[in-house]
Structure formats: structure tokens, C-alpha cells
Amino acid sequence: MIDFLDISREKWREVPAGGDLVGRIYSTDLLKSSDEALLEHWHAMDRAASDANHRGWYQTLYNESFAGRRVIEVGSGLGFDGVYFMRTGARWIFTDIVKDNLTYVKRLVDLLGLSAQAEYLWIETPETLEGVTGTIDVVWANGSLHHAPFEIARKETQILLQRLTPGGRWIELFYPYERWLRQGKLPFSEFGKLTDGERTPWAEWYDVERIKQRLFPATTTTILDYKFGGGQYGWVDLRVDAPVRSNLSASEIEARHHTADILGLPTQTMSGQIKQEGTALAFQCTVPIWYFVGRIELKASDFASRVPIDKGIRWAVDLEVSLSSGSAGFVLTGEDSLDFISRELALDARPAPQRLTLVTDKPDPPKYLLIRNAAYGGTTSGVLNSGVLRVAA
Ligand SMILES: C[S@@+](CC[C@H](N)C(=O)[O-])C[C@H]1O[C@@H](n2cnc3c(N)ncnc32)[C@H](O)[C@@H]1O
């Protein structure tokens, strides 16, 4: 049986030649060059790669942050980041699913005189990552894990978390949800063709919440959640407070992966309108600002009662909202509408749907999802296209 990583290997022999505007190149071809030509070519690619809009901004941001730290890079391609950060003092483990990419990087690193700081690991299967010995301080995945189906990326992630030191960092570049929407909401087997060329077998959208779900049950704190490159790229930097949670059994972890649809739950109209439209929920706010439109009775779901609760548990609601006018605020509450138990998130009208995630600050399950007008002096209308209740990751 040919597995997914074999198909992916066939594509990723062809890697980004530095910046996102300078195309791609086969590592196998690069290996045919003399040492001198290889170095000269790599330096030219690296100059393009270091453009402020592409890698330059994070080279400046992180600069010497990894000095003395052991960083593992998932999908190191032609080694631009590893070389940059080894020069500022990091120890770097290059890993890739393509052997030739690693052979190229090893030759490069030797030629640059940085071998003492470098290690290499070929990812034949996710389980090969179990071969990493010792602890690591940072996981660096720049545009790699989103090219595998979630379950494969999750396997790699969970193995790496076993080696990550508590308080270590998880830093990842991905394609944001908005890019996926903009480019036609294609199946992931097709989306990659638009983002990385015809031969690309897979690309998934991510946002910070989906990355956290892949790391779950690890607990994390968001350090940076950022979009750049004209909205084409997302960047997430998480501090991983507890990489492994040995207090949770496999069945407890499994139970916490379940989700419940909230759009079929009873609703209460307040100073606006809420009504079911097919599987969606349309709402209309009235002026003035902060008038409650209505609320969804999350407490009518038996979901929370099916999940084993501990004091560390938090609840999340993921929403996809199309807002055609005004601005709306979304918040989770207790029994009383003024008892906010999540941060209120406000969205402004846009032509495309938007995603947001509300997370409680307490272990008690939320009783309601409240919607209110967040536009000063205007009305707001929109549609909740989807809504899901789950355990926060
Ligand atoms: C778009 S390139 C990015 C390369 C490099 N990180 C950079 O910033 O230039 C994607 C890289 O991820 C690797 N890759 C693809 N799928 C992977 C997976 N499931 N696990 C690890 N690496 C993967 C590819 O071989 C390739 O080197």
C-alpha cells in the first residue's frame, strides 16, 4: 500500500527556492552542483528568502531567542531557517520526509562550518520521530504540517510533544482559513494545487484553535497569532505549558475530542430577531449599541454532561458567521445575560464568512451564547452558518 507520505515525498523533492516569489526547485538537481556552485546558489536563494515580508520579519523578531536552545524543525526544505538560527546560536535538528532535502542541507551546513550545531532525521513515517533523543526546547514547522491530513500531522505532533520541555515553544506557519475561503473552499486534496502547484497532494487551512486542537491534550498559551504576506500566511507561536497530560486517560482524551452542533438548540429572542433558516440561524439587531439580539440555550444540550469535568477544563464554541451589515458581539454567559464567562468577541460586516472561537474562563459549562449589537448607531444583520460546542484545547 502506498501511504500518504510516499505520495507527499514525490511532491516535496521540489522545495521552495527561498522566498515565496521565486518559485521552487528540485533538491535532487541541486545535489549535482559543485560545492562552490551549491553555496553560491544557496546564498542567492537565501537573500530572496530574507525579504522583510517573507522571513525577514521573524528573523528580526526571534533573532537570538534560540541561542543555546535545541530546536527541531519539521520539514526543513532547503534549510534557510535552520542556518539563520544556528548562526545566532541555536542547535538545530533538521527533519524532512524527503531524503534528498536532508542530504542537501547536510552538505550545505558542512560547507558553512556549522556541523557541530546540527542533527538530521529522515521522517519515513510519523513514528520515526520517536528516534529523537533528549529534550527539545522549540518545535519549528514553517509551512510543513498543513501539507498532511490532520490525523497524520497529529501523530507527528503528539510524538514531538513527548520530547518538548514544559514551557517550550511551538511555532508554525500555515495557510489561514480566509485564504481557503478566498480560493474557493476546495477539498484539501485540491487546495494544495493552488497554493503550491499541481503536484501538491494536500493543503489544509488552519487557525490558532485548530493548531491547539492538534496539540490537545497539551495545554498552551498563545504568544503570537498573526497574519502576513497579504493575508496568505498565518503564524502562530504557542508556549506549551504542559506538553503531556499524564493525568488524563486515553478514554478521557477521546471524550474531549467530541463536539456538539449548537444550531439546533432552542433560542430566545430579546431586543432583535433570531430565526432558523435551514441549518443556519439568521439574526437581526436593533439600535442602539449593546442591545441584546437574543441567545442560544447551550444548557439544553446534554453534551457537557457526557464529558468528564476536572478543574482545568474550559469550554469552547466555534462559530462561522456571515455578517452583512453592522457589527455583532458574541459571548458565552451563565444563567444571567450579564454574567459573561468568556471574552466577548466583536465582528464587523464583511462579504465573506468569518470564524471565531469563544472560550470560557471557568470549568462550568456555558449556559447561553449571547449575541448583541456592537455597532454604534446602526443595525446589524447576519447569519450563523455553523456553531459547535466542544472542550477547549
Ligand atoms: C513548503 S516546504 C517548506 C520548507 C521549509 N520549512 C521552508 O521554510 O522553506 C514544505 C516542507 O515540508 C516537508 N513536509 C511535507 N509534509 C511533511 C510532513 N508531513 N512532515 C514533515 N515534513 C513535511 C516537505 O518535504 C518540505 O521540505
Coordinates of all heavy atoms in Angstrom, one line a residue, residues 160-205:
L160 N 6.3 14.6 18.9 CA 7.2 15.7 19.2 C 6.9 16.3 20.6 O 7.8 16.7 21.3 CB 7.0 16.8 18.1 CG 7.6 16.4 16.8 CD1 7.2 17.3 15.7 CD2 9.1 16.3 16.8
L161 N 5.6 16.3 21.0 CA 5.3 16.9 22.3 C 5.9 16.1 23.4 O 6.2 16.6 24.5 CB 3.7 16.9 22.4 CG 3.0 18.1 21.7 CD1 1.5 17.9 21.7 CD2 3.4 19.4 22.2
Q162 N 6.1 14.8 23.2 CA 6.7 13.9 24.2 C 8.1 14.4 24.5 O 8.6 14.1 25.6 CB 6.8 12.5 23.7 CG 5.5 11.8 23.2 CD 4.6 11.3 24.4 OE1 5.2 10.9 25.4 NE2 3.3 11.3 24.2
R163 N 8.7 15.0 23.6 CA 10.1 15.4 23.8 C 10.3 16.9 24.2 O 11.3 17.3 24.5 CB 10.9 15.3 22.4 CG 10.9 13.9 21.8 CD 11.7 12.9 22.5 NE 11.7 11.6 21.9 CZ 10.8 10.7 22.1 NH1 9.8 10.9 22.9 NH2 10.8 9.5 21.4
L164 N 9.2 17.6 24.1 CA 9.2 19.1 24.3 C 9.3 19.4 25.8 O 8.5 18.8 26.6 CB 8.0 19.8 23.6 CG 8.1 21.3 23.6 CD1 9.2 21.8 22.7 CD2 6.7 21.8 23.0
T165 N 10.1 20.3 26.1 CA 10.3 20.6 27.5 C 9.1 21.5 28.0 O 8.6 22.3 27.2 CB 11.7 21.3 27.7 OG1 11.8 21.7 29.0 CG2 11.9 22.5 26.9
P166 N 8.5 21.4 29.2 CA 7.4 22.2 29.6 C 7.8 23.7 29.5 O 8.9 24.1 29.9 CB 7.1 21.8 31.1 CG 7.7 20.4 31.2 CD 8.9 20.4 30.2
G167 N 6.9 24.5 29.0 CA 7.3 25.9 28.7 C 8.0 26.2 27.4 O 8.3 27.3 27.1
G168 N 8.2 25.1 26.7 CA 8.8 25.2 25.3 C 7.9 25.8 24.3 O 6.7 26.1 24.7
R169 N 8.3 26.1 23.1 CA 7.5 26.8 22.2 C 7.1 25.9 21.0 O 7.9 25.0 20.6 CB 8.3 28.0 21.7 CG 8.6 29.0 22.8 CD 7.4 29.8 23.2 NE 7.4 31.0 22.4 CZ 8.1 32.1 22.7 NH1 8.7 32.2 23.9 NH2 8.0 33.2 21.9
W170 N 6.0 26.2 20.4 CA 5.5 25.5 19.2 C 5.2 26.7 18.2 O 4.3 27.5 18.4 CB 4.3 24.7 19.5 CG 3.9 23.9 18.3 CD1 3.3 24.3 17.1 CD2 4.1 22.5 18.2 NE1 3.2 23.2 16.3 CE2 3.7 22.1 16.9 CE3 4.7 21.5 19.0 CZ2 3.7 20.8 16.4 CZ3 4.7 20.2 18.5 CH2 4.3 19.9 17.3
I171 N 6.0 26.7 17.1 CA 5.9 27.9 16.2 C 5.6 27.3 14.8 O 6.3 26.4 14.3 CB 7.2 28.7 16.2 CG1 7.5 29.2 17.6 CG2 7.2 29.8 15.2 CD1 8.8 29.8 17.9
E172 N 4.6 27.8 14.2 CA 4.1 27.2 13.0 C 3.6 28.2 12.0 O 3.0 29.2 12.3 CB 3.0 26.2 13.4 CG 2.6 25.3 12.2 CD 1.7 24.1 12.7 OE1 1.9 23.6 13.8 OE2 0.9 23.7 11.9
L173 N 4.0 28.1 10.7 CA 3.4 28.8 9.6 C 2.4 28.0 8.9 O 2.7 26.8 8.6 CB 4.5 29.3 8.6 CG 4.0 30.0 7.3 CD1 4.9 31.2 7.0 CD2 3.8 29.1 6.1
F174 N 1.3 28.5 8.5 CA 0.2 27.8 7.8 C -0.6 28.7 6.9 O -0.4 29.9 6.9 CB -0.7 27.2 8.9 CG -1.3 28.2 9.9 CD1 -2.5 28.9 9.6 CD2 -0.6 28.7 11.0 CE1 -3.0 29.9 10.4 CE2 -1.1 29.7 11.8 CZ -2.3 30.3 11.5
Y175 N -1.5 28.1 6.2 CA -2.4 28.8 5.3 C -3.7 29.1 6.1 O -4.4 28.2 6.6 CB -2.8 28.1 4.1 CG -1.6 27.8 3.2 CD1 -1.5 26.6 2.5 CD2 -0.5 28.7 3.1 CE1 -0.3 26.3 1.8 CE2 0.6 28.4 2.4 CZ 0.7 27.2 1.7 OH 1.8 26.9 1.0
P176 N -4.1 30.4 6.2 CA -5.3 30.7 7.1 C -6.6 30.3 6.4 O -6.7 30.2 5.2 CB -5.2 32.2 7.2 CG -4.0 32.7 6.5 CD -3.4 31.6 5.7
Y177 N -7.6 30.1 7.2 CA -9.0 29.8 6.8 C -9.4 30.8 5.7 O -10.0 30.4 4.7 CB -9.9 29.9 8.0 CG -11.3 29.8 7.8 CD1 -11.9 28.6 7.5 CD2 -12.1 31.0 7.8 CE1 -13.3 28.6 7.2 CE2 -13.5 30.9 7.6 CZ -14.0 29.7 7.3 OH -15.4 29.7 7.0
E178 N -9.1 32.1 5.9 CA -9.6 33.1 5.0 C -9.0 32.9 3.6 O -9.7 33.2 2.6 CB -9.2 34.5 5.4 CG -9.9 35.0 6.7 CD -9.3 34.4 8.0 OE1 -8.2 33.7 7.9 OE2 -9.9 34.5 9.1
R179 N -7.8 32.4 3.5 CA -7.2 32.1 2.2 C -7.9 30.9 1.5 O -8.2 30.9 0.3 CB -5.7 31.7 2.4 CG -5.0 31.3 1.1 CD -3.5 31.2 1.3 NE -2.9 30.9 0.0 CZ -1.6 30.8 -0.1 NH1 -0.8 31.0 0.9 NH2 -1.0 30.5 -1.3
W180 N -8.3 29.9 2.3 CA -9.0 28.8 1.8 C -10.4 29.2 1.3 O -10.8 28.8 0.2 CB -9.1 27.7 2.9 CG -9.9 26.5 2.6 CD1 -9.6 25.5 1.8 CD2 -11.2 26.2 3.1 NE1 -10.5 24.5 1.8 CE2 -11.6 24.9 2.6 CE3 -12.1 26.8 4.0 CZ2 -12.8 24.3 2.8 CZ3 -13.3 26.2 4.3 CH2 -13.6 25.0 3.7
L181 N -11.0 30.1 2.0 CA -12.3 30.6 1.6 C -12.2 31.4 0.2 O -12.9 31.1 -0.7 CB -12.9 31.6 2.6 CG -13.7 31.2 3.8 CD1 -14.2 32.5 4.4 CD2 -14.8 30.3 3.3
R182 N -11.2 32.3 0.2 CA -11.0 33.1 -0.9 C -10.7 32.3 -2.1 O -11.0 32.6 -3.2 CB -9.7 34.0 -0.6 CG -9.6 35.3 -1.2 CD -8.3 35.9 -0.8 NE -8.1 36.2 0.6 CZ -7.0 35.9 1.3 NH1 -5.9 35.4 0.7 NH2 -6.9 36.1 2.6
Q183 N -10.0 31.2 -1.9 CA -9.6 30.4 -3.1 C -10.5 29.2 -3.3 O -10.2 28.2 -4.0 CB -8.1 29.9 -2.8 CG -7.2 31.1 -2.7 CD -5.7 30.7 -2.7 OE1 -5.3 29.6 -2.4 NE2 -4.8 31.7 -3.0
G184 N -11.8 29.4 -2.9 CA -12.8 28.5 -3.4 C -13.3 27.4 -2.5 O -14.0 26.5 -3.0
K185 N -12.8 27.4 -1.2 CA -13.3 26.3 -0.3 C -13.1 24.9 -0.9 O -14.0 24.1 -0.8 CB -14.8 26.5 0.0 CG -15.1 27.4 1.2 CD -16.6 27.3 1.5 CE -16.9 27.7 2.9 NZ -18.2 27.6 3.4
L186 N -12.0 24.7 -1.5 CA -11.8 23.4 -2.2 C -11.5 22.3 -1.2 O -11.0 22.6 -0.1 CB -10.6 23.6 -3.1 CG -10.7 24.6 -4.3 CD1 -9.4 24.7 -5.1 CD2 -11.9 24.1 -5.2
P187 N -11.7 21.1 -1.6 CA -11.3 19.9 -0.8 C -9.7 20.1 -0.6 O -9.1 20.6 -1.5 CB -11.6 18.7 -1.7 CG -12.5 19.1 -2.8 CD -12.3 20.6 -2.9
F188 N -9.2 19.6 0.5 CA -7.8 19.8 0.8 C -6.9 19.1 -0.3 O -5.8 19.5 -0.5 CB -7.5 19.3 2.2 CG -8.2 20.0 3.3 CD1 -8.6 19.4 4.4 CD2 -8.5 21.4 3.1 CE1 -9.3 20.1 5.4 CE2 -9.2 22.1 4.1 CZ -9.6 21.4 5.3
S189 N -7.4 18.1 -0.9 CA -6.6 17.4 -1.9 C -6.5 18.3 -3.2 O -5.6 18.1 -4.0 CB -7.3 16.1 -2.3 OG -8.6 16.3 -2.7
E190 N -7.3 19.3 -3.3 CA -7.3 20.2 -4.4 C -6.6 21.6 -4.0 O -6.0 22.2 -4.8 CB -8.7 20.5 -5.0 CG -9.4 19.3 -5.5 CD -8.6 18.7 -6.7 OE1 -8.2 19.5 -7.6 OE2 -8.3 17.5 -6.6
F191 N -6.9 22.0 -2.8 CA -6.4 23.3 -2.3 C -4.9 23.4 -2.5 O -4.3 24.5 -3.0 CB -6.8 23.5 -0.9 CG -6.4 24.8 -0.2 CD1 -6.5 26.0 -0.9 CD2 -5.9 24.8 1.1 CE1 -6.2 27.2 -0.2 CE2 -5.6 25.9 1.7 CZ -5.7 27.1 1.1
G192 N -4.1 22.3 -2.2 CA -2.7 22.4 -2.3 C -2.2 22.7 -3.7 O -1.1 23.3 -3.9
K193 N -3.0 22.3 -4.7 CA -2.6 22.6 -6.1 C -2.6 24.1 -6.4 O -1.7 24.6 -7.1 CB -3.5 21.9 -7.1 CG -3.4 20.4 -7.0 CD -4.4 19.7 -8.0 CE -4.2 18.2 -7.8 NZ -5.4 17.4 -8.2
L194 N -3.5 24.8 -5.7 CA -3.5 26.3 -5.9 C -2.4 26.9 -5.1 O -1.8 27.9 -5.5 CB -4.8 26.8 -5.4 CG -6.1 26.7 -6.2 CD1 -7.2 27.5 -5.6 CD2 -5.8 27.3 -7.6
T195 N -2.1 26.4 -3.9 CA -1.1 27.1 -3.1 C 0.3 26.7 -3.4 O 1.2 27.6 -3.4 CB -1.3 26.7 -1.6 OG1 -1.2 25.3 -1.4 CG2 -2.7 27.1 -1.1
D196 N 0.6 25.5 -3.8 CA 2.0 25.0 -4.0 C 2.2 24.3 -5.3 O 3.2 23.6 -5.5 CB 2.4 24.1 -2.8 CG 2.5 24.9 -1.5 OD1 1.5 25.3 -1.0 OD2 3.6 25.2 -1.1
G197 N 1.3 24.4 -6.2 CA 1.5 23.8 -7.6 C 0.8 22.4 -7.8 O 0.5 21.7 -6.8
E198 N 0.6 22.1 -9.0 CA -0.2 20.9 -9.5 C 0.2 19.6 -8.8 O -0.7 18.8 -8.6 CB 0.1 20.7 -11.0 CG -0.9 21.3 -11.9 CD -2.3 20.9 -11.6 OE1 -2.6 19.7 -11.5 OE2 -3.1 21.8 -11.3
R199 N 1.4 19.4 -8.4 CA 1.8 18.1 -7.9 C 1.6 18.0 -6.3 O 1.9 17.0 -5.7 CB 3.3 17.8 -8.2 CG 3.6 17.8 -9.7 CD 5.0 17.8 -10.1 NE 5.8 16.7 -9.4 CZ 6.6 16.9 -8.3 NH1 6.8 18.1 -7.9 NH2 7.2 15.9 -7.8
T200 N 1.0 19.0 -5.8 CA 0.8 19.0 -4.3 C -0.4 18.2 -3.9 O -1.5 18.5 -4.2 CB 0.7 20.5 -3.8 OG1 1.6 21.3 -4.5 CG2 0.8 20.6 -2.3
P201 N -0.2 17.2 -3.1 CA -1.3 16.3 -2.7 C -2.2 16.9 -1.7 O -3.4 16.4 -1.6 CB -0.6 15.0 -2.2 CG 0.7 15.4 -1.7 CD 1.1 16.6 -2.6
W202 N -1.8 17.8 -0.9 CA -2.7 18.2 0.2 C -2.3 19.6 0.8 O -1.1 19.9 0.9 CB -2.5 17.2 1.4 CG -3.6 17.1 2.4 CD1 -3.6 17.8 3.6 CD2 -4.8 16.4 2.3 NE1 -4.7 17.5 4.3 CE2 -5.5 16.6 3.5 CE3 -5.3 15.5 1.4 CZ2 -6.7 16.1 3.8 CZ3 -6.6 15.0 1.6 CH2 -7.2 15.2 2.8
A203 N -3.3 20.4 1.1 CA -3.0 21.6 2.0 C -4.3 21.8 2.8 O -5.4 21.8 2.2 CB -2.7 22.8 1.2
E204 N -4.2 22.0 4.1 CA -5.4 22.3 4.9 C -5.3 23.7 5.5 O -4.2 24.2 5.7 CB -5.3 21.4 6.2 CG -5.5 19.9 5.9 CD -5.9 19.1 7.1 OE1 -6.2 19.6 8.1 OE2 -6.0 17.9 6.8
W205 N -6.4 24.3 5.7 CA -6.4 25.6 6.4 C -6.2 25.4 7.9 O -6.6 24.3 8.4 CB -7.6 26.4 6.1 CG -9.0 25.9 6.7 CD1 -9.9 25.2 5.9 CD2 -9.5 26.0 8.0 NE1 -11.0 24.9 6.8 CE2 -10.7 25.4 8.0 CE3 -9.0 26.6 9.2 CZ2 -11.5 25.3 9.2 CZ3 -9.8 26.5 10.3 CH2 -11.0 25.9 10.3

